[in-house]
Amino acid sequence: MIHKQVPIGVSARHIHLSQAHVELLFGEGYGLTEMKPLSQPGQYAANESVEVIGPKGSFPKVRILGPARKGTQLEVSRTDAFALGVNPPVRESGNTAGSAGIKIKGPAGEIDIEEGVIVAARHIHFHTTDAEKFGIADKQLLRVRFGGERGVVFEQVVARVSEQYALDMHIDTDEANAAGVKNGDIGEIID
Amino acid sequence: MIHKQVPIGVSARHIHLSQAHVELLFGEGYGLTEMKPLSQPGQYAANESVEVIGPKGSFPKVRILGPARKGTQLEVSRTDAFALGVNPPVRESGNTAGSAGIKIKGPAGEIDIEEGVIVAARHIHFHTTDAEKFGIADKQLLRVRFGGERGVVFEQVVARVSEQYALDMHIDTDEANAAGVKNGDIGEIID
């Protein structure tokens, strides 16, 4: 039996922007600039940030993750959502139809999006070779265990398999805090 | 086989005060007054609240739970602890030796406690008859499952058995948000 171990990356609230929205918020022709690379190849934390403003509260400095994507998407924890006063669904990245809206403010302008705010569904990125080694298929739902004084088994963990991915499990800050885990801690896939 | 079902109570940040601290914060001879009863017999949410002030942030209105206890104890989520800038241990209620400190401010004065700040260990209150029915002993560590789109199994759930208790599982807001559960939802003890 092989141990199917996976490192954790904790996602704080962050936003992905379309290029059209980058330009509305930062100015015509503006392009995001890279501050530091993320675990997934080609993805980076940008130097730029925006303010997001909900009916009940706001966060003045939400990190933008680049590069620009097809659709704008704000990913928050449930705790963040209560603070903002919005009620986003738990969704996989990219599946934003009918999700929550929000106001976004940048140095050059502001926009109101009708949808795009989600609580990210917990998921694991597998490189194709990791998925083969572990016997896991794209879209499979997994259970992942973390031990310790706040031991937890997360169910409904979505497998995402691609040659573009590096092995990494993404959970949000509520999930990390509930389980007492931090970046780089190791979970075990138990089925 | 019996289904060992338990209702959930989500604990937001709250504080218990000693009578000496009630008087330092609210004035000599002051007594807490009841706003509404809690699930555990004799316990109540008080009309009174205090401000708690950490090195990084503060919460202006933290609910006091009464009646006054032997020791002052502030219970926060890990998310709250980051916001305050303190690093409390995960502990059972009452076990505060060597835990974190904080400044507490009331209308009549303020105090600095050296210890008393904890992240509460998830636990279940069992009335003696529930514990007998379920075959569970005081201090036993249990696993409790919640289904749904954020399905979770919580391990290390401490059983607390007393004739003074009503059946209720207490988790904090990080745990509730991570599992997608709210007050009154039902978990199942799986061992």
Side-chain angles (χ1 to χ4, degrees), chain A residues 78-79 82 90 119-120 122 145-156 172-175 177-179, chain B residues 78-79 82 90 119-120 122 145-156 172-175 177-179:
Chain A
R78 184 63 60 198
T79 299
F82 285 129
V90 176
V119 174
R122 50 180 84 117
R145 180 175 182 273
F146 296 86
E149 67 182 357
R150 298 199 115 182
V152 155
V153 177
F154 288 119
E155 304 184 346
Q156 306 288 331
D172 71 15
T173 47
D174 286 338
E175 294 170 322
N177 290 337
Chain B
R78 184 63 60 198
T79 299
F82 285 130
V90 176
V119 174
R122 50 180 84 120
R145 181 175 182 273
F146 297 86
E149 66 181 359
R150 299 198 115 183
V152 155
V153 177
F154 288 119
E155 304 183 346
Q156 308 287 330
D172 71 15
T173 46
D174 286 339
E175 294 170 321
N177 290 337

